[in-house]
Amino acid sequence: MASPNLSEIVTTTLENRSKKLADNVTKNNALLARLEKKGNVKTADGGSVILQELEYGENGTFTWYSGYDTLNIAPSDVISAASFDWKQAAVAVTMSGLEELQNSGQEKLIDLLEARIKNAEKTMKNKMAQAVYGDGSVAAGKSIGGLQLLVSDAATANPGNINATTWAFWQNQRYDATTDGTAAATTANMLHYMNLMWLKLVRGTDKPDLIVADNAYYSLYWEALLPNQRFTSPEMAQAGFESLRYMGADVVFDGGIGGYCPANHMYFLNTDYIYLRPHKDRQYVPLNPDRYTNNQDAFVKLIGWAGNMTTSGRMFQGVLKD
């Protein structure tokens, strides 16, 4: 069996790296990076579900009046909450007794652990970036609900346990170029389709601040712009993301190697209303106690995370697709 000293080394190393891993996960994805910058990575204390407060209507007590007119003081139910299930994820750092013997000596052991931990961190980072675009159906519904759920292609999605058919405010905006428009998106019509989607999402000063696209849609927008229209975002470039600008919003592509944005999709996001809600005690931290297999000479340490992606305003989010 692996030695207790090994357990202490692994645990201490993981604890020291947990904040760095959390930072690396958010910095690996344009949406998560924006949420972090806005303070929308908000920890949750616990409970059977994650509650996300939202506004779904105007206060019905507003009254124009004169003199001694009776005012409306009836209770007005304008605040409700969406409830999102907890989702859990873990990745294992393992070492067999033989590997421990082969790497005896403090420096060699730490070098091996460093490689194993880096691999586990990279796996966690990539899987979380993938889940950001998911619909929550991966692993039989155990993954977080990402953009394909919160900003869904279909009107039937009901994230947060609110029926979007019953409550129209809980529908996100959507535009299908082939069914709502005249033809699939091309460089000739891409700006027109983007304009139509944009106008559906503006309410006063509320408007999208981040647009995320796959390679195909990003290329169409890029090629549709004249050279003197190709403004870039210094802020996003500093964060490591290639981007363009549209109506004041950053346009970022999440394609290339390991890109997870669905094909022929462009998400118009108002990130004031999108959140990542990790549990305060489960943000990429080593899980205790240590795990040892009953019939193997091996040691396992788990890095764990729990939480979900949430939204407080689906009406401010949109998806453009073919």
Side-chain angles (χ1 to χ4, degrees):
M1 178 178 289
S3 68
N5 185 51
L6 173 61
S7 171
E8 292 172 8
I9 293 172
V10 175
T11 301
T12 301
T13 302
L14 290 176
E15 287 175 345
N16 290 338
R17 294 173 66 99
S18 62
K19 178 62 169 66
K20 180 181 179 181
L21 174 55
D23 289 343
N24 286 342
V25 169
T26 56
K27 290 176 181 176
N28 191 50
N29 179 276
L31 173 56
L32 295 183
R34 178 61 56 89
L35 297 183
E36 178 72 28
K37 182 176 184 296
K38 285 195 170 186
N40 281 8
V41 178
K42 294 181 177 292
T43 57
D45 290 337
S48 58
V49 294
I50 302 170
L51 293 178
Q52 187 65 58
E53 289 190 353
L54 51 96
E55 295 186 16
Y56 66 87
E58 295 183 339
N59 190 315
T61 64
F62 178 85
T63 307
W64 293 107
Y65 75 99
S66 176
Y68 289 96
D69 287 352
T70 301
L71 302 182
N72 182 359
I73 61 171
S76 183
D77 184 15
V78 297
I79 302 294
S80 185
S83 62
F84 295 84
D85 295 332
W86 289 100
K87 306 294 184 176
Q88 297 172 277
V91 63
V93 177
T94 63
M95 182 177 292
S96 69
L98 177 59
E99 289 171 326
E100 183 182 0
L101 292 173
Q102 291 171 336
N103 293 273
S104 58
Q106 189 88 342
E107 289 186 6
K108 291 186 68 176
L109 185 61
I110 289 176
D111 285 345
L112 177 61
L113 285 173
E114 184 81 8
R116 294 284 168 88
I117 291 170
K118 281 185 176 179
N119 177 265
E121 291 176 341
K122 184 180 295 185
T123 300
M124 180 72 82
K125 182 171 64 175
N126 290 336
K127 293 300 184 183
M128 288 296 290
Q130 182 179 16
V132 164
Y133 291 102
D135 62 2
S137 64
V138 172
K142 297 175 185 176
S143 63
I144 65 173
L147 292 182
Q148 289 190 73
L149 177 65
L150 303 182
V151 193
S152 64
D153 292 357
T156 53
N158 299 313
N161 293 303
I162 296 176
N163 190 314
T165 302
T166 302
W167 300 100
F169 78 92
W170 200 237
Q171 290 281 355
N172 62 264
Q173 306 299 325
R174 57 188 63 83
Y175 192 90
D176 190 310
T178 55
T179 58
D180 300 320
T182 56
T186 66
T187 54
N189 60 27
M190 189 64 182
L191 288 174
H192 173 64
Y193 289 155
M194 291 176 69
N195 292 343
L196 293 175
M197 174 53 68
W198 178 269
L199 293 173
K200 291 160 74 82
L201 294 169
V202 176
R203 184 184 72 172
T205 58
D206 273 324
K207 57 186 178 180
D209 60 283
L210 181 66
I211 300 172
V212 185
D214 76 309
N215 280 9
Y217 266 33
Y218 187 87
S219 295
L220 290 178
Y221 175 58
W222 191 4
E223 292 165 7
L225 297 175
L226 297 174
N228 63 352
Q229 295 177 312
R230 292 173 186 165
F231 302 112
T232 60
S233 168
E235 176 187 317
M236 297 303 291
Q238 189 175 9
F241 300 101
E242 296 296 331
S243 69
L244 297 168
R245 298 280 286 173
Y246 171 80
M247 301 294 287
D250 296 315
V251 184
V252 181
F253 85 97
D254 195 342
I257 299 173
Y260 298 111
C261 185
N264 298 326
H265 274 65
M266 179 177 277
Y267 291 97
F268 290 66
L269 306 175
N270 186 330
T271 59
D272 286 343
Y273 301 94
I274 301 175
Y275 302 86
L276 183 68
R277 302 294 309 277
H279 192 283
K280 65 181 180 64
D281 298 324
R282 191 62 66 85
Q283 292 192 73
Y284 312 109
V285 294
L287 303 186
N288 292 313
D290 301 329
R291 273 71 170 174
Y292 296 95
T293 55
N294 292 327
N295 58 354
Q296 290 180 311
D297 180 14
F299 165 85
V300 179
K301 193 71 180 180
L302 296 172
I303 304 173
W305 183 91
N308 211 336
M309 269 186 71
T310 69
T311 179
S312 61
R314 291 188 77 206
M315 69 176 72
F316 303 111
Q317 321 301 332
V319 58
L320 171 63
K321 61 178 284 290
D322 276 355

